[in-house]
Amino acid sequence: MILSLRQIEDIGAAVIQDFNKFFYCDSNALRNNKVRATPIDQFAREYLGLSVRFARLSADGCICGLTSYADAEYIIEEMGVVRTIELKQNQILLDSSFLEAGKVKKLCGKRRFTLAHECAHQILFQMESEESQQKCRGFYSDRRSYSLRDLKSREDWNEWQANALGAALLMPQAEINRAMRFFAQNRTLISYEGRFSYADKLVLSLLCHALGVSKSAAVIRLRQLGYLQERPYVEFVDPLEVWA
């Protein structure tokens, strides 16, 4: 199933609206105009009915999350030792590094986006035809072992869609619009090859804190929604920057 970015945005908006009715009882409830972060853990467990577990997924930390549409198992090799980890249908595995002491707060935004990404895979799978779903489940029907790369390659064609939908779930356009209205008075932020003025850095910091996302995820989303423009570094001038 190939979807346009507009279609993915519409799916994300509809899903979040339905989730808000489910979780908050009224999607249009009085909010005092506050920016509201998507409670992605509750979204995954309570709304989608997925189970979320943590495990060491790779030796070098390159795999942050996995999900499966049928019972399966995958193998991981570390220092010559091979382990097999069970992966059940409608389950999400997140890397255990997200729970390590001293990393929980630092990696919070990355963990939330990883979870949103895996939720997006599950949502997109449910939108496939029954024939496509059965074909996909057939890959796992024998419960054979898969390497991490095997499991990820099954989804390579759909990764960009899961990233786009994950961003729409975690940073809904309505919330981005609200955040930019309050934090930036609807002005466009400017990135000078990755460098920002003090004022724009403050807006980014406030938005990331309000939505529970990383700076990199926020920058990509703002650019996508037209709230960020790129300029060459030679044009960078920060009126608040003081030189000794």
Side-chain angles (χ1 to χ4, degrees), residues 164-175:
L165 182 54
L169 296 174
L170 203 60
M171 297 170 278
Q173 183 166 2
E175 297 301 327

Side-chain angles (χ1 to χ4, degrees), residues 10 12-13 125 127 197 219:
D10 290 343
F125 175 75
M127 295 180 64
S197 69
V219 166

Side-chain angles (χ1 to χ4, degrees), residues 203-217:
V203 170
L204 272 176
S205 178
L206 291 170
L207 184 145
C208 290
H209 179 74
L211 295 178
V213 298
S214 67
K215 177 183 174 182
S216 58

